[in-house]
Amino acid sequence: MANLVGEDTNYGHEHDPAVSDGYLLPKLISILGRRAPSERTAFDLGAGTGGAAGGLGALNYTIVGVEPSPEGVAIANQRFPAARIEVGSGYDDLAARYGRFPVVYSLEVIEHVYSPRQFVKTAHDLLEPGGLLVLSTPYHGYWKNLAMALTGKLDRHFTALWDHGHIKFWSLKTLTSLLDEAGFTDIQFEFTGRPMPFAKSMFAIARKPGDVLPRP
């Protein structure tokens, strides 16, 4: 849950998405429980300090992941040594390095990424045929944006003063277009953090085309 631009993340920032595990992680667990293959192996693309990896590891998931910040990787490895979290980026050829997985997830990362097309291509390459992508990002919609404007919270939400902070602000339409362009199918959305239409985050759930590979 960090940026993928090759810069260290300021994990002390008040907007650090690691503090959002309270509503992101339960939603991720729910989605995987209902939609993912029975194989409990997943790749964490942008692992941050390992909160999601640790939470899933406690449920007997085997987690491999990357995080561009050495600081984040060190914290993740100290907190959750059972997960394999290494320094790496969504701009790397991760499939060549790690192979393919039945599930790839990424929490609150894509809003930090300069090249989201490369990011979702990397996720697509990491997935097995029929594999599941679960991607979260802050939700933006008309009524939520209007409420922030009326309450004077737009400056805080869209702050330009957060180094390496949010640089992309996704809607249902734009994120659907991105995933469709990358070759994903069965694109659906779920929401968390608050009731709609004021949800904090949205989860895009999509599949890589193909039949699920049989397990040996």
Side-chain angles (χ1 to χ4, degrees):
M1 293 178 290
N3 69 63
L4 293 183
V5 298
E7 302 284 352
D8 284 356
T9 299
N10 177 7
Y11 288 107
H13 193 282
E14 65 175 340
H15 290 281
D16 175 17
V19 304
S20 301
D21 286 349
Y23 62 89
L24 294 174
L25 182 57
K27 189 65 173 180
L28 175 65
I29 291 170
S30 173
I31 291 169
L32 294 184
R34 290 180 282 113
R35 297 172 180 264
S38 58
E39 175 76 9
R40 292 197 165 200
T41 302
F43 193 93
D44 189 332
L45 186 55
T49 55
L56 291 175
L59 298 175
N60 298 317
Y61 281 84
T62 298
I63 303 298
V64 179
V66 294
E67 159 60 36
S69 166
E71 176 194 5
V73 170
I75 295 170
N77 288 334
Q78 182 179 26
R79 294 171 67 200
F80 309 110
R84 180 186 172 190
I85 307 298
E86 298 178 348
V87 175
S89 165
Y91 301 147
D92 300 336
D93 187 354
L94 298 177
R97 181 173 166 186
Y98 295 104
R100 291 183 174 179
F101 295 80
V103 174
V104 172
Y105 67 88
S106 183
L107 303 185
E108 311 296 276
V109 175
I110 197 168
E111 63 272 13
H112 298 271
V113 175
Y114 288 124
S115 300
R117 287 183 172 89
Q118 179 60 49
F119 173 81
V120 296
K121 180 184 183 301
T122 297
H124 192 276
D125 291 345
L126 278 166
L127 281 168
E128 298 174 351
L132 186 74
L133 174 68
V134 182
L135 177 74
S136 86
T137 190
Y139 170 71
H140 296 95
Y142 174 79
W143 290 110
K144 181 180 177 182
N145 292 346
L146 179 61
M148 287 191 293
L150 292 173
T151 56
K153 295 182 178 179
L154 280 181
D155 271 349
R156 182 178 183 275
H157 185 78
F158 293 105
T159 180
L161 301 177
W162 179 10
D163 293 341
H164 317 304
H166 296 179
I167 59 173
K168 304 284 186 179
F169 299 92
W170 296 96
S171 67
L172 296 174
K173 182 177 180 180
T174 55
L175 191 52
T176 297
S177 295
L178 180 73
L179 296 175
D180 181 69
E181 179 184 306
F184 287 98
T185 61
D186 302 324
I187 302 166
Q188 300 180 33
F189 288 88
E190 297 188 20
F191 305 89
T192 191
R194 299 188 195 96
M196 283 293 285
F198 305 110
K200 289 185 177 181
S201 290
M202 59 183 177
F203 277 77
I205 305 146
R207 289 200 179 271
K208 180 175 181 175
D211 296 330
V212 177
L213 294 177
R215 296 292 162 188

